[in-house]
Amino acid sequence: MDTSDELRIDAPHRELLDQILDKWSLSVLNELCERPCRFNELRRAIPQVTQKSLTSTLRRLERNGVIAREVVSTRPVAVRYRITPLGKTLRHPIDVLLAWATQNMPAVERAREGFEGQEEENDGVSSGVL
């Protein structure tokens, strides 16, 4: 059997995907695809994110070359974030994943309900409750 077509997710790939597809990165990338933003603009656009989480997310995305940080010479000095050309290439694969999720969500919900029903049945059997 030829294994060249085998799906392999090595540690560097897993780390990168974890950082790009994490809870806050997608929201940040969505905002920055529209326009460059300052930190507080991002906080207002994503009100659920904490300052610490947003800072961490921005640093990870910058480290990976997906966004760029620009110091704006104003009084007081401000920082603006923008998506990079590399970051823009993420748009299509993320859109494909979101379309898949939208199309398949009913099937996923049915699978979850079936799994939870099985779990409840198994819990009842293992505890002696019938």
Side-chain angles (χ1 to χ4, degrees):
M1 178 176 176
D2 183 11
T3 59
S4 62
D5 292 337
E6 181 181 318
L7 177 65
R8 290 185 51 216
I9 303 176
D10 296 324
H13 296 97
R14 182 178 310 282
E15 178 188 6
L16 177 61
L17 291 173
D18 285 347
Q19 291 178 4
I20 291 173
L21 300 174
D22 79 351
K23 183 175 184 176
W24 301 117
S25 293
L26 290 176
S27 296
V28 167
L29 290 171
N30 186 54
E31 291 300 320
L32 295 179
C33 275
E34 299 300 317
R35 69 194 184 299
C37 293
R38 291 183 179 187
F39 185 89
N40 284 330
E41 290 174 312
L42 288 168
R43 288 263 336 254
R44 284 190 295 276
I46 312 166
Q48 304 86 353
V49 69
T50 64
Q51 182 171 339
K52 182 179 178 182
S53 292
L54 182 56
T55 298
S56 177
T57 298
L58 291 167
R59 285 185 180 153
R60 277 194 313 273
L61 292 173
E62 182 182 7
R63 177 178 175 260
N64 289 311
V66 175
I67 66 168
R69 180 180 185 268
E70 173 190 5
V71 177
V72 181
S73 58
T74 57
R75 297 263 187 238
V77 174
V79 175
R80 184 175 23 217
Y81 297 91
R82 63 174 174 75
I83 195 155
T84 63
L86 177 63
K88 288 179 182 179
T89 66
L90 287 168
R91 189 64 189 211
H92 177 70
I94 289 172
D95 284 346
V96 169
L97 284 172
L98 291 174
W100 178 89
T102 299
Q103 179 181 355
N104 291 289
M105 202 59 188
V108 169
E109 288 295 331
R110 286 191 302 275
R112 287 176 178 172
E113 290 168 5
F115 180 84
E116 290 166 3
Q118 281 293 108
E119 287 284 300
E120 289 173 9
E121 286 178 22
N122 291 341
D123 287 346
V125 170
S126 65
S127 65
V129 177
L130 296 177

